[in-house]
Amino acid sequence: DVVVALKDQPYEGHSLVNQRLRGLHQLTWAYPTDETVWEYSREYWLYQIMSWFTLFYEQQVRPALEAGAVVITDGWHFKHHARFRLAPDPELVRLADILFGRLPQPDLVLWLDTSAAIAAARKTGSSKPSEHGAFDTGSSSLDPARLVAYNGTVSDALAQILAHHSATVERVDHTISPADVLALIERVKTTRHD
């Protein structure tokens, strides 16, 4: 079986778990665009993001894995980890490396290889200051050039993380088909069991 676990889909299971996951998701990613989130410490955001990923794994991913399913998520922690790698505080970077490293890690990462410029164009009108590097600039600027520059820097940090990751990392583009994804999963499963 293949189970797709998405961050913004309705969660199955206990209604209180549902409520907690939705609340964490709302606080972490669905905040209003006019909220000056960069005024909260990066430590706060690190623990907030870790709380969501930890509970999501425990309640949605792990039970499916224990039932023998292959679980596909629409993103794990890597982009967020890369953003913390840009922090000017080496101790915070070290803490982020430790905490993100404690999350269960995937066997396969499909890295959708999209240029920062294309990604920025897709976000036109729907981006938030944090996606423009507000934690670095301390401003609510939605300047498209800043969106491209910041996401290019994040992409570089992401490349460094994935270059040293234990998972099989496949760079793919938007043309990958579901059949191709399933073939990659089967190849990794076979390799892991040999």
Side-chain angles (χ1 to χ4, degrees):
D1 287 348
V2 175
V3 173
V4 179
L6 304 175
K7 284 191 294 196
D8 56 358
Q9 76 179 15
Y11 303 113
E12 295 180 11
H14 194 278
S15 63
L16 291 177
V17 172
N18 251 344
Q19 185 177 349
R20 186 169 300 279
L21 279 168
R22 287 180 189 185
L24 284 169
H25 186 277
Q26 178 76 24
L27 290 170
T28 307
W29 289 289
Y31 53 83
T33 57
D34 62 346
E35 184 177 5
T36 55
V37 296
W38 58 90
E39 292 179 357
Y40 311 144
S41 71
R42 290 184 199 233
E43 288 84 356
Y44 162 79
W45 283 109
L46 176 60
Y47 291 118
Q48 177 74 30
I49 290 168
M50 290 301 302
S51 294
W52 188 90
F53 276 109
T54 301
L55 189 61
F56 181 74
Y57 176 81
E58 290 173 358
Q59 297 298 316
Q60 299 297 315
V61 177
R62 185 173 59 203
L65 291 173
E66 289 173 351
V70 170
V71 179
I72 299 173
T73 68
D74 67 334
W76 198 226
H77 66 79
F78 299 110
K79 174 181 72 174
H80 305 290
H81 188 178
R83 287 179 176 176
F84 279 96
R85 281 274 180 94
L86 304 178
D89 177 359
E91 289 300 315
L92 178 62
V93 172
R94 194 169 6 267
L95 178 61
D97 286 346
I98 291 167
L99 292 177
F100 283 114
R102 299 242 338 141
L103 286 171
Q105 302 297 312
D107 295 316
L108 172 65
V109 175
L110 300 179
W111 182 5
L112 183 57
D113 195 5
T114 304
S115 76
I118 291 173
R122 291 180 183 160
K123 295 292 284 183
T124 300
S126 65
S127 62
K128 296 182 178 181
S130 60
E131 296 170 299
H132 293 252
F135 286 93
D136 298 328
T137 64
S139 76
S140 60
S141 170
L142 295 177
D143 176 22
R146 181 69 192 140
L147 180 66
V148 172
Y150 177 70
N151 283 283
T153 305
V154 171
S155 184
D156 292 344
L158 178 60
Q160 292 174 5
I161 291 167
L162 293 179
H164 301 288
H165 198 274
S166 61
T168 299
V169 178
E170 294 281 342
R171 289 181 90 145
V172 298
D173 65 23
H174 69 283
T175 63
I176 191 167
S177 70
D180 292 337
V181 172
L182 292 175
L184 285 168
I185 290 169
E186 284 304 316
R187 191 178 83 210
V188 170
K189 282 173 54 179
T190 301
T191 304
R192 297 285 191 245
H193 291 101
D194 286 347

